[in-house]
Amino acid sequence: MASPMRTVTLRNLAAHKVRLALTLLSVVLGTAFVAGSFVFTDTLQRTFDGIFADQAKGVDVRIEPESQRSLGIPNDVVDRVTATPGLRAAAPAVQGAVVLLQNGHAVQTGGAPSWGRSYLPPGKNVAEAEHFVSGAPPAVPGQVAINSGGARKAGLRAGDRTRVLVPARGTMDMTVSGIYDMSSDSGGFIGLLFEDTQARQLFTDGEHVAYVDIAAAPGVSPDVLRDRLARILPDYKVHDGNQVRADLKQQVGNALKFVNYFLLAFGAIALLVGTFIIYNTFSMIVAQRLRELALLRAIGADRRQVGLSVVAEAALIGLIGSVLGLAAGIGLAFGLSALLNAFDVGLPTGTMQVTPRTVAVALAIGVVVTVGSAYAPARRAASIPPVEAMREEFATIGDSLRGRTGIGAALAVLGVVLVVLGAQHTGGHAAAVVGVGAAAMIFAVLFAAPALSRPVVGALGLAVRAFGPIGTMARNNAVRNPRRTAATAFALTLGLMLVTAIGMLGASAKASVGDLVDKGVGADYILMGPQMIGVPPGAAQAARSVTGVSDVVAFRGVAFQVGGKQMTGTSPDRPMDPVLRFDLRHGTAALTGNSILVSETEAAQQKWKAGQQVEITSVDNRKLQVTVAGVYADSQLLGPLVVSGDLYDQVMPVSLRTDLVVLIKAAPGADLAAMRGGLVKATESYVVVQVQDRDEFKGERGKQIDTMLAILYGLLALAVVIAILGIVNTLALSVVERRREIGMLRAVGTQRPQIRRTIYLESALIAIFGAVVGVMLGLGLGVGFLRTLSNLGLGTIAVPWGQIVGMLIGSGVVGVLAALWPAVRAARTPPLAAIADL
């Protein structure tokens, strides 16, 4: 670009600092979210890499079972491994989930694992020994060592007494023998070390171990030993230490990819909203500068130079906004990490990682989005006929809306058809069809919104007639330029569409849980335990001794294979009819011997019928013949299958047995309040058990749903904030554009408060228009998506009407707040100077 045009671009930016700041803010917020997502997940990945760098150190080969659901490695296989030539030492290890108890309560890990494993002294262990900062390793049963992070959370020191809950074995008193350190921060992780003999009693059936670490004999290559063992044990995973660490890092990496994609999705939404704001801003800038640009054309600037001047302005804004967004993203990552730590989520902490990839992506996204958004206005600026643009009325001339409205109508029809078709089915393919339909409807609104804005804003304008001529002017200003109104409102439309759809998801999930419990659960009380732990053994039996109790049924988790496919289900320890209602379609509900009940969907997939004999494989690879006693209607309470108590005892080893939930039915005429007190007292020794009635059970599930919604709403809030800034930006530029008009109104007697009120009402109409369209779109798409999820238990569709009404009212309030500064600026317009402005 020639130097004079570059000077014009820079001076134009410097002359409109407020406009520059508002446009920059849109770019900054969008890129900050993307950069923050990368920094946050990169930091977690690097921290976990540091933790896993110490795993399996000193181990030449590790042998593990192929499936995590298996019992482990049989002792006879361990003997075969020990006898393999080229082996210096073999160290079998056992491990399992635990709950550390202190002062009668479970020590909270914030979602991090709480794990117990066997301790092997240096003479028996092949991995690097733990570094103890106080005390000593466990030497006899009844002793336990704990990692320093876990000790701090529990307030424990070497020599203290504590209690440990092992799901399949119950609660036991232990003495803290020592505290060991880990090389890096482990977050909320709790790692307990047990004496080897006791660990085998707690975590195994006595015939298996979790894995075997191996050290090669001097002169034997670890690779050679690994290959030799792999040939001997083809049914097991045989890896060297490097591969073990790589696998652990890969597992965490895969989990963090989901987190990254999840956060980036909301960053993309924020950028999309920002795109429309930037486009709208540059469209208005070009409209306001038509005479200026035409003058440049008249004195010799060609079309390319004029177009490049607008693009250069956008590129500079994009570059500055990206740099600021990158800095803000690093701060956002710090804030997110601090917030998670404040809520004790249990994630490890580490030094923030800002990689070259993050810098490049943030800069590229900011510049590309900004330049792309300004491209169409730049083309329009370049095509301005110099003489025509100098005419006063040229700026008010707009293209016909007929073409884009026709495209919008066609896309709307296509979108509705796809959403309706997808909603007739369930599963991933149906959701994909609804998703394509949703995209079509969003683009339909984008194209048709200008034509739609006139009747909708006109109808909404009837409500402001109470303000007299001021209300009429506000309505006329809102419908005067439908493109601008639509572009300004679309950002808010997109945000509130997503908020509405997510609100419907939450309301429907709560309603579905309520219907499921009300219609399916006949119990009066429910015993619950922590996730991944369940209800400790013995709690159900203790509940049976309480006065007033009629029936107590414990539901246990069960797993086995059928034809190579892993299947999971439940097993009641007593007849479940008194506490659970279900619809039996075929066969009998009696579970005796080796019998199972299956859901209709599972029966159809497996091609099973009532009375049929099928073969299953237990976790210890034993083949068993079972009978399909009956087929029941799909139930989220029962899951895909239910097995008899006899079969449960055969397929589930003692070390893997746990109660998922216990349902309790009161005897007729029993005092429920007194019975609850008895249940609490009977189960208080199990510490982690919660006694809930049906309403409390539903409320607990509702709290979990609310937590999920709060996270989603918090992430969507960024898009809504950007949309509000867009309204501020558009109104501010509109005030500049209508400077002579406002000056004329002031000259003929309009007071400053009246000018401000006009801007307030115009802003409120635009915001409510965007909110109404967004809510309507969100309701339609929400119903479509929810119907595709009905097979996952979302059988009841609920609309959060209170939330929707609140959003519509809030949108009007937001519109007024967004107009405060533009309105004040408009009211201060000097009448004579504005009229004389050329």
Short mmCIF file of all heavy atoms in Angstrom, two decimals, residues 688-715:
data_model
loop_
_atom_site.label_atom_id
_atom_site.label_comp_id
_atom_site.label_asym_id
_atom_site.label_seq_id
_atom_site.Cartn_x
_atom_site.Cartn_y
_atom_site.Cartn_z
N VAL A 688 -19.47 -43.24 54.91
CA VAL A 688 -19.75 -42.63 53.60
C VAL A 688 -21.18 -42.85 53.14
O VAL A 688 -21.59 -42.33 52.11
CB VAL A 688 -18.78 -43.19 52.53
CG1 VAL A 688 -17.36 -42.80 52.85
CG2 VAL A 688 -18.92 -44.70 52.39
N VAL A 689 -21.97 -43.61 53.90
CA VAL A 689 -23.34 -43.93 53.49
C VAL A 689 -24.26 -42.74 53.77
O VAL A 689 -24.22 -42.15 54.84
CB VAL A 689 -23.86 -45.19 54.21
CG1 VAL A 689 -25.33 -45.41 53.90
CG2 VAL A 689 -23.04 -46.39 53.79
N GLN A 690 -25.08 -42.40 52.77
CA GLN A 690 -26.09 -41.35 52.93
C GLN A 690 -27.48 -41.98 52.89
O GLN A 690 -27.75 -42.81 52.02
CB GLN A 690 -25.98 -40.31 51.81
CG GLN A 690 -24.71 -39.48 51.86
CD GLN A 690 -24.70 -38.43 50.76
OE1 GLN A 690 -25.41 -38.54 49.77
NE2 GLN A 690 -23.90 -37.40 50.94
N VAL A 691 -28.33 -41.59 53.84
CA VAL A 691 -29.72 -42.05 53.86
C VAL A 691 -30.58 -40.95 53.23
O VAL A 691 -30.61 -39.82 53.73
CB VAL A 691 -30.19 -42.34 55.30
CG1 VAL A 691 -31.63 -42.82 55.29
CG2 VAL A 691 -29.28 -43.38 55.96
N GLN A 692 -31.27 -41.27 52.13
CA GLN A 692 -32.06 -40.27 51.41
C GLN A 692 -33.47 -40.81 51.16
O GLN A 692 -33.63 -42.01 50.90
CB GLN A 692 -31.42 -39.93 50.07
CG GLN A 692 -30.03 -39.32 50.17
CD GLN A 692 -29.40 -39.10 48.80
OE1 GLN A 692 -29.82 -39.71 47.81
NE2 GLN A 692 -28.41 -38.23 48.74
N ASP A 693 -34.45 -39.91 51.27
CA ASP A 693 -35.77 -40.30 50.79
C ASP A 693 -35.83 -40.00 49.29
O ASP A 693 -34.86 -39.51 48.70
CB ASP A 693 -36.89 -39.59 51.56
CG ASP A 693 -36.81 -38.07 51.45
OD1 ASP A 693 -36.24 -37.57 50.46
OD2 ASP A 693 -37.31 -37.38 52.35
N ARG A 694 -36.96 -40.25 48.66
CA ARG A 694 -37.02 -40.11 47.21
C ARG A 694 -36.84 -38.66 46.76
O ARG A 694 -36.19 -38.38 45.75
CB ARG A 694 -38.34 -40.69 46.69
CG ARG A 694 -38.34 -42.21 46.68
CD ARG A 694 -39.58 -42.77 46.03
NE ARG A 694 -40.78 -42.48 46.82
CZ ARG A 694 -41.99 -42.92 46.52
NH1 ARG A 694 -42.17 -43.63 45.41
NH2 ARG A 694 -43.02 -42.66 47.30
N ASP A 695 -37.41 -37.73 47.51
CA ASP A 695 -37.25 -36.32 47.15
C ASP A 695 -35.80 -35.87 47.28
O ASP A 695 -35.29 -35.12 46.43
CB ASP A 695 -38.15 -35.44 48.03
CG ASP A 695 -39.62 -35.60 47.69
OD1 ASP A 695 -39.92 -36.01 46.54
OD2 ASP A 695 -40.48 -35.33 48.56
N GLU A 696 -35.13 -36.32 48.32
CA GLU A 696 -33.72 -35.97 48.49
C GLU A 696 -32.87 -36.60 47.40
O GLU A 696 -31.91 -35.99 46.91
CB GLU A 696 -33.23 -36.42 49.87
CG GLU A 696 -33.82 -35.61 51.01
CD GLU A 696 -33.51 -36.21 52.36
OE1 GLU A 696 -33.29 -37.44 52.43
OE2 GLU A 696 -33.48 -35.46 53.35
N PHE A 697 -33.21 -37.83 47.02
CA PHE A 697 -32.48 -38.49 45.94
C PHE A 697 -32.62 -37.70 44.64
O PHE A 697 -31.64 -37.46 43.93
CB PHE A 697 -33.02 -39.92 45.76
CG PHE A 697 -32.35 -40.69 44.66
CD1 PHE A 697 -31.12 -41.29 44.87
CD2 PHE A 697 -32.95 -40.81 43.42
CE1 PHE A 697 -30.50 -42.01 43.85
CE2 PHE A 697 -32.34 -41.53 42.40
CZ PHE A 697 -31.11 -42.13 42.62
N LYS A 698 -33.85 -37.26 44.34
CA LYS A 698 -34.06 -36.45 43.13
C LYS A 698 -33.34 -35.11 43.25
O LYS A 698 -32.78 -34.61 42.27
CB LYS A 698 -35.56 -36.24 42.91
CG LYS A 698 -36.30 -37.50 42.49
CD LYS A 698 -37.75 -37.23 42.15
CE LYS A 698 -38.57 -36.87 43.38
NZ LYS A 698 -40.02 -36.72 43.05
N GLY A 699 -33.37 -34.53 44.45
CA GLY A 699 -32.70 -33.26 44.65
C GLY A 699 -31.20 -33.36 44.45
O GLY A 699 -30.57 -32.45 43.89
N GLU A 700 -30.62 -34.47 44.89
CA GLU A 700 -29.18 -34.67 44.73
C GLU A 700 -28.80 -34.77 43.26
O GLU A 700 -27.81 -34.20 42.80
CB GLU A 700 -28.74 -35.94 45.47
CG GLU A 700 -27.24 -36.09 45.63
CD GLU A 700 -26.65 -35.05 46.56
OE1 GLU A 700 -27.35 -34.57 47.46
OE2 GLU A 700 -25.47 -34.71 46.36
N ARG A 701 -29.63 -35.51 42.50
CA ARG A 701 -29.38 -35.59 41.06
C ARG A 701 -29.57 -34.21 40.42
O ARG A 701 -28.85 -33.83 39.50
CB ARG A 701 -30.34 -36.58 40.41
CG ARG A 701 -30.37 -37.98 41.01
CD ARG A 701 -29.11 -38.79 40.72
NE ARG A 701 -28.03 -38.57 41.65
CZ ARG A 701 -28.01 -39.00 42.91
NH1 ARG A 701 -29.03 -39.66 43.43
NH2 ARG A 701 -26.97 -38.77 43.69
N GLY A 702 -30.56 -33.46 40.92
CA GLY A 702 -30.80 -32.12 40.40
C GLY A 702 -29.61 -31.19 40.64
O GLY A 702 -29.26 -30.37 39.79
N LYS A 703 -28.96 -31.32 41.81
CA LYS A 703 -27.78 -30.51 42.10
C LYS A 703 -26.65 -30.83 41.12
O LYS A 703 -25.93 -29.92 40.67
CB LYS A 703 -27.30 -30.76 43.53
CG LYS A 703 -28.21 -30.16 44.60
CD LYS A 703 -27.67 -30.46 45.99
CE LYS A 703 -28.58 -29.91 47.07
NZ LYS A 703 -28.08 -30.25 48.44
N GLN A 704 -26.48 -32.10 40.80
CA GLN A 704 -25.45 -32.47 39.83
C GLN A 704 -25.74 -31.86 38.47
O GLN A 704 -24.84 -31.38 37.78
CB GLN A 704 -25.36 -33.99 39.74
CG GLN A 704 -24.91 -34.66 41.02
CD GLN A 704 -24.98 -36.18 40.94
OE1 GLN A 704 -25.34 -36.75 39.90
NE2 GLN A 704 -24.64 -36.85 42.02
N ILE A 705 -27.02 -31.87 38.07
CA ILE A 705 -27.41 -31.27 36.80
C ILE A 705 -27.17 -29.76 36.83
O ILE A 705 -26.66 -29.17 35.87
CB ILE A 705 -28.88 -31.59 36.48
CG1 ILE A 705 -29.05 -33.10 36.25
CG2 ILE A 705 -29.36 -30.81 35.25
CD1 ILE A 705 -30.49 -33.55 36.19
N ASP A 706 -27.52 -29.12 37.95
CA ASP A 706 -27.32 -27.68 38.08
C ASP A 706 -25.84 -27.31 38.00
O ASP A 706 -25.48 -26.27 37.43
CB ASP A 706 -27.91 -27.18 39.41
CG ASP A 706 -29.43 -27.16 39.40
OD1 ASP A 706 -30.01 -27.13 38.31
OD2 ASP A 706 -30.03 -27.19 40.50
N THR A 707 -24.99 -28.15 38.58
CA THR A 707 -23.55 -27.89 38.50
C THR A 707 -23.08 -27.93 37.06
O THR A 707 -22.30 -27.07 36.62
CB THR A 707 -22.78 -28.93 39.34
OG1 THR A 707 -23.20 -28.85 40.70
CG2 THR A 707 -21.28 -28.68 39.26
N MET A 708 -23.54 -28.93 36.31
CA MET A 708 -23.18 -29.04 34.90
C MET A 708 -23.68 -27.81 34.13
O MET A 708 -22.95 -27.22 33.32
CB MET A 708 -23.78 -30.30 34.30
CG MET A 708 -23.52 -30.46 32.81
SD MET A 708 -24.54 -31.73 32.06
CE MET A 708 -26.16 -30.93 32.10
N LEU A 709 -24.92 -27.40 34.40
CA LEU A 709 -25.49 -26.25 33.70
C LEU A 709 -24.73 -24.97 34.06
O LEU A 709 -24.54 -24.10 33.20
CB LEU A 709 -26.96 -26.08 34.06
CG LEU A 709 -27.91 -27.18 33.58
CD1 LEU A 709 -29.35 -26.86 33.99
CD2 LEU A 709 -27.84 -27.34 32.06
N ALA A 710 -24.31 -24.84 35.33
CA ALA A 710 -23.58 -23.65 35.74
C ALA A 710 -22.28 -23.50 34.96
O ALA A 710 -21.89 -22.40 34.55
CB ALA A 710 -23.29 -23.70 37.25
N ILE A 711 -21.61 -24.63 34.72
CA ILE A 711 -20.37 -24.61 33.93
C ILE A 711 -20.67 -24.17 32.50
O ILE A 711 -19.98 -23.30 31.93
CB ILE A 711 -19.71 -26.00 33.94
CG1 ILE A 711 -19.24 -26.34 35.37
CG2 ILE A 711 -18.53 -26.03 32.98
CD1 ILE A 711 -18.74 -27.76 35.51
N LEU A 712 -21.72 -24.74 31.90
CA LEU A 712 -22.07 -24.40 30.53
C LEU A 712 -22.50 -22.93 30.42
O LEU A 712 -22.10 -22.22 29.49
CB LEU A 712 -23.18 -25.31 30.03
CG LEU A 712 -22.83 -26.80 29.92
CD1 LEU A 712 -24.05 -27.60 29.48
CD2 LEU A 712 -21.68 -27.01 28.94
N TYR A 713 -23.31 -22.48 31.38
CA TYR A 713 -23.75 -21.09 31.35
C TYR A 713 -22.56 -20.14 31.52
O TYR A 713 -22.49 -19.08 30.89
CB TYR A 713 -24.77 -20.82 32.46
CG TYR A 713 -26.14 -21.42 32.20
CD1 TYR A 713 -26.93 -21.87 33.25
CD2 TYR A 713 -26.64 -21.55 30.91
CE1 TYR A 713 -28.19 -22.41 33.02
CE2 TYR A 713 -27.88 -22.09 30.67
CZ TYR A 713 -28.66 -22.53 31.73
OH TYR A 713 -29.89 -23.06 31.51
N GLY A 714 -21.64 -20.53 32.39
CA GLY A 714 -20.46 -19.69 32.60
C GLY A 714 -19.64 -19.54 31.33
O GLY A 714 -19.14 -18.46 31.02
N LEU A 715 -19.50 -20.65 30.58
CA LEU A 715 -18.74 -20.59 29.33
C LEU A 715 -19.50 -19.80 28.26
O LEU A 715 -18.90 -19.08 27.46
CB LEU A 715 -18.46 -22.01 28.84
CG LEU A 715 -17.54 -22.84 29.75
CD1 LEU A 715 -17.48 -24.28 29.28
CD2 LEU A 715 -16.14 -22.24 29.79
#
